[in-house]
């Protein structure tokens, strides 16, 4: 979902930047999109990638895809040192403590905006409404000062705390609540049968429990 929500929200995503995601799962979903021509992944810990290639062989085709370029280092430093202009930025980070704390700051979102094309979409890992409402509210409010459209959605993940994880999507062109195309229209022929995502699931991801909607509005 962290890959498909922004990619289906963009009309023609060609160039994608992933910050984090060293396990390879996000890359594996991104390269299913026919429009994607170039994928940059910036992972701070190269050992994560090594472990993924060893223990998750199902993601090896993604690592070997010629569209994928891997960079090792801090995401914020990478943005400063590389003047990329991309259609979609996906931040698959850990929680906002320790090394990942900087990825939840207003300064980081300002820097991402500089690397985003005018129609671009950002999607970040955004915690759980059952546990982190105040953190989510703080990040949403600071992002609303930078982007015209800021949407919060979530999905169910059994292995995450409380069984849910959220996503924040930012854009200056359009809300991400409505997909721009269907999987049949967007994906490569061999990859258009997704196990979880659908246009209906996309829309439903942004329907929040009432307590969360009121707190985050």
């Amino acid at each position: 979902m962290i890959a498909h929500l922004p990619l289906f929200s963009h009309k023609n995503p060609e160039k994608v930047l992933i910050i984090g995601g060293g396990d390879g799962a996000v890359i594996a979903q991104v390269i299913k999109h026919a429009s994607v021509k170039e994928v940059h992944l910036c992972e701070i810990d190269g050992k994560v990638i090594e472990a993924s290639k060893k223990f998750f062989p199902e993601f090896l085709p993604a690592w070997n895809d010629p569209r994928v370029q891997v960079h090792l280092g801090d995401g914020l430093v990478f943005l400063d040192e590389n003047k990329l202009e991309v259609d979609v930025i996906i931040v698959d980070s850990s929680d906002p403590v320790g090394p990942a704390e900087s990825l939840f700051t207003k300064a980081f979102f300002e820097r991402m905006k500089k690397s985003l094309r005018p129609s671009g979409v950002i999607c970040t890992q955004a915690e759980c409404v059952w546990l982190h409402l105040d953190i989510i509210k703080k990040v949403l409010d600071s992002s609303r000062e930078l982007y015209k459209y800021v949407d919060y959605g979530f999905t169910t993940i059994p292995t995450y705390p409380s069984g849910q994880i959220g996503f924040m999507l930012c854009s200056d062109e359009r809300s991400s609540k409505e997909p721009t195309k269907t999987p049949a229209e967007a994906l490569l022929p061999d990859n258009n049968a997704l196990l979880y995502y659908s246009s209906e699931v996309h829309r439903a991801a942004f329907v929040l429990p009432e307590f969360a909607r009121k707190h985050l509005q």
Side-chain angles (χ1 to χ4, degrees):
M1 288 287 279
I2 198 172
H4 293 306
L5 287 177
L7 288 169
F8 278 102
S9 297
H10 195 287
K11 294 179 181 178
N12 186 40
E14 294 183 339
K15 197 170 182 179
V16 179
L17 169 63
I18 303 166
I19 296 176
D23 56 15
V26 174
I27 294 179
Q29 298 304 311
V30 169
I31 63 172
K32 292 180 179 181
H33 286 255
S35 64
V36 171
K37 298 178 180 178
E38 188 176 323
V39 184
H40 294 266
L41 180 137
C42 181
E43 168 60 52
I44 197 169
D45 189 350
K47 291 183 179 180
V48 174
I49 297 175
E50 293 175 11
S52 172
K53 291 179 178 180
K54 180 178 180 180
F55 295 106
F56 300 118
E58 63 269 29
F59 298 145
L60 281 176
W63 292 116
N64 295 327
D65 191 289
R67 292 171 290 174
V68 174
Q69 300 179 40
V70 176
H71 314 270
L72 297 180
D74 180 271
L76 184 55
V77 174
F78 176 80
L79 287 172
D80 285 335
E81 294 180 349
N82 297 270
K83 307 305 180 184
L84 290 177
E85 288 189 355
V86 299
D87 299 301
V88 172
I89 300 176
I90 300 168
V91 185
D92 185 13
S93 69
S94 54
D95 293 330
V97 292
E101 187 173 2
S102 65
L103 303 183
F104 289 81
T105 63
K106 185 177 180 180
F108 181 65
F109 282 86
E110 288 175 330
R111 185 60 192 82
M112 283 196 291
K113 187 169 185 176
K114 294 178 181 178
S115 296
L116 206 62
R117 289 171 175 169
S119 61
V121 181
I122 290 170
C123 182
T124 71
Q125 184 274 110
E127 300 300 320
C128 174
V129 297
W130 298 102
L131 302 172
H132 309 113
L133 265 182
D134 290 340
I135 294 175
I136 297 167
K137 173 67 171 174
K138 181 180 178 180
V139 177
L140 285 175
D141 285 347
S142 64
S143 297
R144 286 167 178 150
E145 297 175 6
L146 301 172
Y147 301 92
K148 186 176 181 179
Y149 300 98
V150 177
D151 301 308
Y152 184 86
F154 72 97
T155 191
T156 55
I157 300 287
T159 55
Y160 274 72
S162 293
Q164 289 184 357
I165 193 66
F167 312 105
M168 182 175 70
L169 290 97
C170 306
S171 177
D172 279 333
E173 179 166 282
R174 64 187 303 276
S175 169
S176 295
K177 293 182 179 180
E178 183 68 25
T180 62
K181 46 199 168 305
T182 66
E185 294 168 333
L187 303 182
L188 292 167
D190 294 339
N191 296 289
N192 60 13
L194 299 175
L195 295 177
Y196 189 91
Y197 178 92
S198 67
S199 297
E200 292 76 16
V201 166
H202 184 120
R203 298 183 184 100
F206 297 98
V207 181
L208 303 180
E210 189 63 6
F211 77 91
R213 186 194 67 80
K214 288 182 177 179
H215 192 89
L216 301 177
Q217 66 184 2

